[in-house]
Amino acid sequence: MVAVVLTTIILYLRSIYRIAEFADGYKGKIYSAEWAFYVFDTLFIFIAFLVYIVLFIGPNFSNARASQGTVYGYPQKIESDEATATQQSLTRLV
């Protein structure tokens, strides 16, 4: 949850720059300054990526995935009475 909050704050800060850039217009000083774009736009996105790399949120979803029979998106073999009963009923139909 910390990663989501941090990146939301970072992206809001980036949005403040973008609003100022568009308010100034296409011929304004902010729009024509390449350094401002790299500092206030690209750098914020890069920092947001770094937050997700450092604070990987995948383990937060492992319980939900386990109940669906997957862990981190990969199917896991689930042995249960329900699965066995379903398999047996399917073989009777064939």
Side-chain angles (χ1 to χ4, degrees):
M1 189 67 175
V2 174
V4 174
V5 172
L6 282 176
T7 54
T8 301
I9 292 169
I10 291 167
L11 294 178
Y12 274 131
L13 292 174
R14 175 185 173 261
S15 297
I16 293 169
Y17 161 72
R18 298 295 288 190
I19 290 169
E21 179 185 31
F22 288 126
D24 199 25
Y26 289 114
K27 295 184 180 184
K29 290 182 181 180
I30 298 173
Y31 190 81
S32 60
E34 188 175 355
W35 69 268
F37 177 78
Y38 285 121
V39 171
F40 297 116
D41 193 64
T42 309
L43 186 63
F44 283 136
I45 298 296
F46 181 71
I47 292 170
F49 276 110
L50 287 179
V51 168
Y52 279 116
I53 290 170
V54 172
L55 302 172
F56 181 62
I57 62 172
N60 295 326
F61 299 110
S62 64
N63 291 338
R65 298 274 187 190
S67 66
Q68 296 173 358
T70 61
V71 177
Y72 299 121
Y74 297 102
Q76 301 294 317
K77 189 174 182 181
I78 298 177
E79 295 295 330
S80 68
D81 294 334
E82 184 178 318
T84 307
T86 305
Q87 192 175 27
Q88 288 174 351
S89 65
L90 287 175
T91 55
R92 287 184 205 149
L93 293 174
V94 177

